[in-house]
Amino acid sequence: MKDDKLYRELSNQIEYIACCIGMFANRFSITNQEAYRYLLEFGGLSFLYEFYDVEHTFPIDDAIDDITKITQRNGGALYD
């Protein structure tokens, strides 16, 4: 039973982060692969993982805004 709950939580987290990668790619007109590499390099994925418990409660556009700001602070060059 405990393993089922952990599996569901992890599955939800993966699905959420994958969705954020896709939405980020759409916003900046880049591929999902480019978005993944960019977010990995400039801390966006770490941010989503670390703050999933809070971020997933907000609209997805807010999460994209947040990771855009995080990546910019970490040297990323994509802008709205």
Side-chain angles (χ1 to χ4, degrees), residues 34-46:
E34 290 169 326
Y36 172 80
R37 287 180 180 155
Y38 179 87
L39 293 171
L40 182 63
E41 181 176 352
F42 295 108
L45 291 180
S46 295

Side-chain angles (χ1 to χ4, degrees), residues 2 4 7 23-25 27 31-32 37 56-57 60 65-66 68-69 73:
K2 187 176 181 180
D4 289 341
Y7 175 80
M23 295 293 290
F24 187 87
R27 180 176 288 187
T31 67
N32 287 348
R37 287 180 180 155
H56 85 279
T57 65
I60 195 82
D65 291 343
D66 291 344
T68 299
K69 291 173 189 170
R73 288 183 198 153

Side-chain angles (χ1 to χ4, degrees), residues 16-34:
Y16 176 77
I17 291 173
C19 180
C20 287
I21 292 168
M23 295 293 290
F24 187 87
N26 286 342
R27 180 176 288 187
F28 291 103
S29 300
I30 59 178
T31 67
N32 287 348
Q33 186 175 23
E34 290 169 326

Side-chain angles (χ1 to χ4, degrees), residues 48-76:
L48 288 174
Y49 179 75
E50 184 174 347
F51 296 103
Y52 168 78
D53 59 332
V54 175
E55 285 292 320
H56 85 279
T57 65
F58 298 120
I60 195 82
D61 286 332
D62 289 354
I64 305 309
D65 291 343
D66 291 344
I67 59 175
T68 299
K69 291 173 189 170
I70 293 298
T71 57
Q72 288 172 350
R73 288 183 198 153
N74 291 329

Side-chain angles (χ1 to χ4, degrees), residues 4-22:
D4 289 341
K5 185 177 180 183
L6 180 62
Y7 175 80
R8 274 195 315 275
E9 182 65 24
L10 183 58
S11 179
N12 289 341
Q13 196 171 21
I14 291 167
E15 186 176 335
Y16 176 77
I17 291 173
C19 180
C20 287
I21 292 168

